[in-house]
């Protein structure tokens, strides 16, 4: 059974957090609130998140500064960030956002369907990555215990699981292409990165299996 992903919602206004939860509740994932950048960073110390929805304008530490701290940490530097802003963003803000390696901007009031679709893709990518990590752990553990024929049996099982992950990723890729085309380059690049990782895992499994 696939474990639920954690989604971090960061906004200093409770009504905005309620609106985010209403838009995302149908995804049936764990929605975690933070009312400030400081609180968001505390959550990130001990919890793994699939994606962060981050308000740009907040008192104290704003969204850009919060994102900069997130990307400086080894544990959280690869977590996707979607900025939310209630005002039109100028070139300077866009530069600051992408300089902090955010993947997208959404204007408030946001379209719930668009928000949900973007978040759902990042959740699925996060779950695929989790599957790959679990397969790698299984491989490392069992290779230390098994040799000979049992190792081939293990490789066959891993090949089947890798094939399923590849099929799942292909489905995600097709849905992203149908929904966004080439408009959302960050999502497309993230999928290509995962695709390359899965291909390398498949090659490793084939090597372990050896000739028939």
């Amino acid at each position: 059974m696939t474990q639920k992903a954690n989604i971090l919602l960061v906004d200093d206004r409770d009504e905005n957090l309620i609106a985010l939860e209403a838009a995302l509740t149908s995804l049936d994932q764990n929605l975690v609130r933070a009312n400030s950048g400081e609180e968001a960073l505390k959550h990130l110390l001990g919890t793994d998140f699939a994606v962060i929805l981050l308000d740009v304008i907040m008192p104290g530490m704003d969204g850009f500064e919060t994102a900069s701290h997130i990307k400086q940490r080894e544990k959280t530097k690869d977590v996707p960030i979607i900025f939310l802003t209630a005002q039109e963003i100028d070139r300077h803000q866009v530069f600051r956002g992408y300089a902090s390696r955010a993947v997208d901007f959404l204007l408030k009031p946001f379209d719930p369907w668009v928000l949900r679709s973007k978040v759902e893709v990042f959740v699925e990518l996060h779950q695929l990555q989790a599957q790959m990590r679990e397969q790698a752990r299984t491989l490392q553990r069992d290779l230390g215990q098994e040799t000979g024929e049992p190792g081939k049996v293990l490789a066959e099982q891993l090949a089947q699981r890798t094939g399923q992950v590849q099929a799942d990723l292909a489905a995600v890729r097709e849905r992203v292409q149908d929904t966004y085309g080439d408009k959302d380059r960050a999502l497309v690049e993230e999928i290509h990165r995962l695709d390359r990782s899965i291909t390398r895992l498949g090659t490793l499994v084939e090597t372990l299996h050896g000739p028939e």
Side-chain angles (χ1 to χ4, degrees), residues 2-3 5 7 11 18 25 34 45 48 69 80 93 95 105 123 137 140 155 162 186 189 200 208:
T2 303
Q3 186 175 5
I7 302 169
D11 199 300
I18 291 172
T25 188
L45 286 174
D48 183 29
H69 284 291
Q93 286 181 308
F95 176 79
F105 283 90
V123 166
R137 284 194 290 267
Q140 292 170 351
T162 302
E189 179 55 34
R200 289 195 294 270
L208 288 170

Side-chain angles (χ1 to χ4, degrees), residues 21-38:
E21 289 172 339
L24 300 175
T25 188
S26 63
L27 296 181
D28 193 29
Q29 305 299 324
N30 297 324
L31 306 178
V32 180
R33 284 189 179 198
N35 286 108
S36 67
E38 292 86 353

